[in-house]
Amino acid sequence: MDCPKTMPETAERRKQGAAVRERFVRVREDVAEAALRAGRNPAQVRLMAVTKTVDEWLIREAVEAGTDLLGENKVQEIQRKRGNLPPAEMHLIGHLQRNKAAKAAECADMIQSLDSVALARELSAAGGKLGRTIPVLLEVNIGRDEAKFGFPPEQTAAALEEIMRLPCLSVRGLMTVPPFLADERQTRAFFSQMMQLFIDIRDKTLDNISKEAHAMEVLSMGMSGDYPWAIAEGSTLVRVGTAIFGMRDYR
Ligand SMILES: *Cc1c(COP(=O)(O)O)cnc(C)c1O
């Protein structure tokens, strides 16, 4: 069994647990309000709780408060935590190395961080061995940020065409993390460019490729610092960590 090193005393734990539940409920309300303000149906925006570095006992509080979608940036964490948590969908949102593709194909419900055609080939092959079609999002490096993974926006459509031809992947949409230090105007411009790319790609007709196999319905963008803007620009899935669990402890 895997015990956290610094399991707090019961009273302290109860307090921290209550804080996570409250913050989750508040973020969920905030997401719905942002959708309404944008003239959108709140049911069209999914809230993911990003649980990287968060202890299982605290994640459990969020799941009990109503979270049904968790995001992790390491495949080992999904593998380790899944068995110890109540049922919830678990998506990989961090860069995946090709040598971990088989493990990811086995234990992630969706891979949001598909960032190369080579990785797509590995994942499809791994899916084939498992008899499973792997749902994926293409990660787009919308800000052309040197420090980030993802397809440059102008290469996304061509990559998508190749990836859609792989037998054991199902492309469900796009994901992005905009540059960290951008202000509101710049960040909204990146989100708006993502929305445009999403629409262009979704409406593209491809020969001999089944549209049902690749239902392009997810535009994953928006984090703690910018999710209301992402929702205003068309996001269908926001990935929120800090605003639910507090500041991360990377010890
Ligand atoms: C950590 C992370 C998030 C959540 O970030 P917060 O600012 O804590 O909400 C969202 N998406 C990705 C890809 C992440 O790595």
Side-chain angles (χ1 to χ4, degrees):
M1 197 176 141
D2 214 325
C3 291
K5 277 163 214 69
T6 53
M7 176 73 99
E9 296 301 318
T10 311
E12 179 57 24
R13 215 161 45 178
R14 225 178 271 132
K15 207 171 91 192
Q16 287 184 38
V20 163
R21 285 166 180 264
E22 269 167 41
R23 284 196 295 256
F24 169 72
V25 169
R26 209 176 313 134
V27 171
R28 192 170 53 187
E29 283 169 6
D30 208 36
V31 165
E33 277 166 26
L36 289 173
R37 266 201 310 277
R40 303 180 56 203
N41 179 351
Q44 288 168 351
V45 187
R46 252 190 121 180
L47 170 59
M48 161 188 282
V50 175
T51 55
K52 61 190 181 206
T53 78
V54 179
D55 283 340
E56 282 160 11
W57 64 271
L58 214 44
I59 302 174
R60 205 168 292 124
E61 296 281 352
V63 174
E64 283 164 8
T67 317
D68 60 356
L69 174 60
L70 306 177
E72 278 288 343
N73 60 348
K74 292 188 180 140
V75 67
Q76 315 81 278
E77 289 295 294
I78 294 183
Q79 194 176 35
R80 188 171 66 82
K81 287 173 179 169
R82 186 187 285 283
N84 303 329
L85 292 172
E89 239 181 280
M90 295 183 88
H91 292 188
L92 185 70
I93 59 173
H95 175 64
L96 177 63
Q97 286 168 323
R98 279 163 62 189
N99 62 7
K100 296 199 177 112
K103 193 177 276 186
E106 203 178 312
C107 67
D109 293 304
M110 181 186 275
I111 290 153
Q112 293 205 0
S113 43
L114 180 56
D115 55 14
S116 76
V117 174
L119 175 62
R121 291 209 180 90
E122 297 274 348
L123 280 171
S124 181
K129 281 187 196 138
L130 295 164
R132 181 176 172 226
T133 297
I134 320 291
V136 297
L137 303 182
L138 264 55
E139 180 169 357
V140 179
N141 187 356
I142 194 68
R144 296 176 177 80
D145 184 341
E146 297 266 310
K148 284 199 165 66
F149 291 100
F151 297 97
E154 68 280 3
Q155 290 173 21
T156 305
L160 179 73
E161 252 195 87
E162 269 192 73
I163 291 169
M164 282 171 102
R165 292 177 201 282
L166 296 169
C168 297
L169 291 188
S170 170
V171 183
R172 300 295 174 79
L174 304 178
M175 182 273 243
T176 199
V177 182
F180 189 50
L181 289 172
D183 64 17
E184 173 171 358
R185 192 189 53 80
Q186 292 167 318
T187 304
R188 287 186 70 137
F190 287 132
F191 288 151
S192 160
Q193 288 164 32
M194 279 298 295
M195 182 64 182
Q196 199 50 55
L197 188 60
F198 181 61
I199 291 169
D200 291 348
I201 281 173
R202 201 179 45 190
D203 296 346
K204 211 165 172 248
T205 45
L206 296 172
D207 297 338
N208 304 320
I209 290 177
S210 153
K211 286 262 174 190
E212 297 90 75
H214 304 281
M216 296 277 282
E217 64 214 352
V218 183
L219 179 56
S220 172
M221 59 187 194
M223 304 170 32
S224 292
D226 56 20
Y227 67 84
W229 307 335
I231 293 167
E233 300 297 340
S235 169
T236 72
L237 190 158
V238 293
R239 309 176 308 266
V240 179
T242 312
I244 296 173
F245 295 105
M247 291 304 280
R248 275 184 287 278
D249 180 355
Y250 281 105
R251 256 177 316 176

